[in-house]
Structures are given as structure tokens and as C-alpha cells.
Amino acid sequence: MIAPFTFSQDDTLLFIDQRRLPWEEASFPASTAQEVAQAIKEMVVRGAPAIGIAAAIGLYLGIKHYKKSDPQGFFSLLKESKNLLASTRPTAVNLFWALDRMERVAIQSPLPIEKLKRRLRAEALRIWEEDVSANRKIGALGADLFSSPVRILTHCNAGALATGGYGTALGIIRTLHERGLMKLVLVDETRPLLQGARLTAWELYKEGISHRLITDSMAGYFMAKGLVNAIVVGADRIAANGDTANKIGTYSLAVLAKRHEIPFYVAAPISTLDPSTPSGDAISIEERRKTEVTSLEGLRICPRGTMAFNPAFDITPGELVTAIITEKGVVQPPYPISLSSLWEER
Ligand code: MRU
């Protein structure tokens, strides 16, 4: 199974360096919270659930070498590591969800320090296992929405590389493929960082799932031609009203889908739901380096001195989302009501 990292008995978190795919399957080892934070910030690892799991393991690595028996010093080191990991990327809520869960376990476990460290290691691995099993369920529930062979368009990479394994949007596509119902995946290249072309196409190619790469601007053409049966994307944060933050370009797809009466599905584990954020307006959108837009793989593609904008995510209003597929069930509008039934599971 493809996974974004492995974690060895000697506590090395070995990432696939996603910046270098598909050209090279290089690895990036991390054995401290600082190295994990660097991997998240520089997008060695990316995708909402994957960065949550990596951060949980990073938090454990942050406290692992604490040698004293004084709980106050332990908790201040925990806080310091948590703040460092939380400062890496602002939009995906899974990062904060995983760090809060780890901190809660530490506070609520009345254990001597050495045992508490082992407890935190186990908790991080449990977060990882739960994510893979959530993805399998999302895959099955999402695939149940289709009874005949389909063409699906997806954006960015919501696959095994973006999660603990298997993927959310690509989990549905994998399950449809296993059921013999996946006719063709249209893969948006996903400028500026090309997660669709570099990562989604890499996963689909490796597994022999039929796909075609398209530039982002071709999506409307294929919808108008009747060649897209559904759009399935992942999410970085889903607000209480169903507004969904996902990779820049997702919103345009949802508007096009509405125009062409094509179902637009968001697939995400409940760790991506954020009940404390009432609507998309309150979601912080990461602004990234302008050179990601003004150049492509290091080659400048516009006049020197041309300025650019580079928001990494956009917000798709809940009213454009046909259904949200989670491991606890498929919910439909009105989202303030349907999502609230999932909050307590979170
Ligand atoms: O900037 P990235 O590559 O981390 O953005 C990833 C996405 O937008 C994914 O669609 C999202 O995190 C869902 S991954 C299951």
C-alpha cells in the first residue's frame, strides 16, 4: 500500500519526499519535532490528514528525549513542540485536531513520564490507523453512490500520499476500480504546485487505474461535453455550514458542476470537520511564495518583475456541495443540521 511515510522501531519518520515526485522516489528522514515541522512547512508531506498524522508523531518526537521526572518541564516542552508544529501551515484543520488530541491524552493520563511517552507514541500511531480505516469506509460509502461505470474528475491529490494511506477522494476512486466501475479519472494538473499531475497521476499510474491528465482550464470543456459524471475532491477544513476549504481551483469546479448539473462530492474524514468555524469566511487561507506562480519547476514563465497572487486554497460554499462523504456516513444539505449529527463523533 502507498503511504506518505513509514515510522520505524527506532523512531525515524521516513517521508517520501513529495516535492520530488514523480521524477524521483527520494526519502526525507525526520527524528525530531523540528525536522517534522520542516517537512510539513516545505511540503515534503502535504494533504490534510497526512500532515495531522505527521504532526502527532512529531509531537511525540518532541518530548521523547525529556529525561527529568518533573511534569512541569515535560508539559512546557510538549507545549513548545506543539506550537512549533502548529505554526507550519494554517488551513488544514487536521493538523490542529491531531495536536489537540495528543495534548488532551497527555493531560488526561496520570502516568509517570516514561510511560506517558509510550502512551503518546501509541496515540499517534492510533491516529494513523484510524485514518486508514476511515478512508476505507469513505471509499466504500462513496463508491455506493454509483451503480454503473463512471468518469470522475478530481482536483489536487486527496490520495494515499495525502492521508495515512488509501486516500479520501482517491479512496472512492480505488474502491470503484476494485468494483469494476471506474471508467476514467480526469486528473486536473492543479497549478501552481501540480499535485494532480505529479502525485495523483503517479498513484493512479502505479495502480493501473485508467486516467487522463488535463490542465485546470480544460475542466469546463469536458463537463460541457457530457464526459464527467461526478466530481470528487478532498477537503482541508469543513466549516459548520458545509463551506469547504480545499486546494485553489476547487471553487471554480463546483460552480461549473452546478452549471452542468453534475454532482459535486467532498470526501473527508470527520477529523476535517471544524464545528468551531461557523462558515468559510473564518477559515484562514495560506498565502504561499509568489515564485510558485511566476515559475514552473524553477523556470520563470513570465517577464522578470511581474507580480503574482498565490492563495493555496479557496472556499466552496456548502450550497454547491451535493454531499459530504465521511466515514460516519454521507450527509447532504442543509449542512448546519446534517453535519451537527457528526460533531460528537469527532
Ligand atoms: O497544499 P496541499 O497539497 O497540502 O493541499 C492538499 C489539498 O488541498 C487536498 O485536497 C486536501 O488536503 C485533502 S487530502 C485528503
Side-chain angles (χ1 to χ4, degrees):
M1 186 181 78
I2 301 170
F5 35 69
T6 55
F7 190 51
S8 60
Q9 287 300 330
D10 74 349
D11 285 351
T12 304
L13 186 55
L14 198 62
F15 293 101
I16 296 182
D17 190 338
Q18 297 191 34
R19 298 168 303 181
R20 288 159 76 176
L21 285 174
W23 305 285
E24 195 187 356
E25 291 182 27
S27 40
F28 181 101
S31 46
T32 63
Q34 287 74 11
E35 285 164 351
V36 175
Q38 183 193 355
I40 297 172
K41 202 175 176 65
E42 295 179 7
M43 294 179 72
V44 169
V45 64
R46 30 65 51 201
I51 65 179
I53 299 160
I57 296 174
L59 190 59
Y60 158 70
L61 293 173
I63 51 85
K64 183 191 156 178
H65 293 293
Y66 185 77
K67 290 281 175 257
K68 299 181 197 150
S69 55
D70 159 38
Q72 223 178 334
F74 177 84
F75 279 99
S76 94
L77 182 61
L78 183 97
K79 197 76 183 167
E80 200 183 298
S81 306
K82 185 181 179 222
N83 290 342
L84 171 74
L85 289 155
S87 69
T88 51
R89 296 193 72 190
T91 306
V93 75
N94 309 59
L95 174 69
F96 310 100
W97 169 84
L99 290 170
D100 286 345
R101 175 165 155 178
M102 292 286 286
E103 183 179 51
R104 216 165 38 243
V105 164
I107 292 168
Q108 290 170 0
S109 307
L111 293 170
I113 301 247
E114 282 312 310
K115 281 198 173 150
L116 186 51
K117 287 182 189 175
R118 287 201 289 281
R119 175 76 185 80
L120 288 172
R121 187 183 195 280
E123 189 67 17
L125 296 182
R126 186 169 307 158
I127 290 174
W128 186 354
E129 274 166 31
E130 284 175 8
D131 186 64
V132 177
S133 109
N135 292 338
R136 294 259 173 202
K137 289 186 190 135
I138 290 169
L141 290 172
D144 286 349
L145 298 170
F146 306 97
S147 53
S148 53
V150 275
R151 291 192 185 86
I152 288 182
L153 187 147
T154 191
H155 190 65
C156 193
N157 171 264
L161 289 168
T163 62
Y166 204 67
T168 55
L170 284 198
I172 295 170
I173 285 167
R174 282 193 164 90
T175 309
L176 285 167
H177 177 70
E178 285 157 21
R179 294 182 185 178
L181 294 178
M182 197 61 253
K183 204 191 276 179
L184 186 72
V185 187
L186 288 171
V187 180
D188 262 6
E189 63 173 351
T190 318
R191 270 284 279 156
L193 291 183
L194 301 173
Q195 287 94 329
R198 296 188 303 101
L199 310 176
T200 296
W202 182 79
E203 288 193 33
L204 297 174
Y205 180 78
K206 260 189 175 271
E207 292 182 13
I209 301 175
S210 175
H211 64 286
R212 293 287 184 280
L213 181 64
I214 60 170
T215 65
D216 300 332
S217 51
M218 292 176 189
Y221 171 86
F222 287 103
M223 290 189 218
K225 286 267 179 206
L227 294 172
V228 178
N229 302 111
I231 295 164
V232 185
V233 296
D236 287 84
R237 190 186 290 242
I238 301 173
N241 69 346
D243 289 357
T244 297
N246 192 48
K247 181 53 55 196
I248 192 78
T250 303
Y251 169 52
S252 321
L253 291 176
V255 173
L256 281 165
K258 182 90 175 167
R259 168 75 175 84
H260 296 98
E261 296 178 359
I262 295 168
F264 182 90
Y265 296 117
V266 170
I270 54 173
S271 55
T272 304
L273 306 180
D274 182 8
S276 67
T277 295
S279 73
D281 297 340
I283 299 178
S284 158
I285 299 291
E286 179 181 6
E287 268 289 330
R288 295 187 56 83
R289 279 190 298 271
K290 313 300 175 224
T291 48
E292 291 178 356
V293 175
T294 57
S295 66
L296 199 50
E297 291 313 310
L299 188 71
R300 186 160 48 79
I301 56 165
C302 59
R304 194 186 299 282
T306 289
M307 313 284 263
F309 293 122
N310 191 13
F313 302 95
D314 59 24
I315 304 292
T316 299
E319 68 197 58
L320 297 180
V321 178
T322 310
I324 299 175
I325 303 160
T326 78
E327 71 275 32
K328 301 286 177 195
V330 178
V331 295
Q332 286 172 343
Y335 292 117
I337 295 164
S338 59
L339 283 173
S340 67
S341 66
L342 301 175
W343 293 153
E344 54 273 22
E345 310 260 7
R346 193 171 177 270

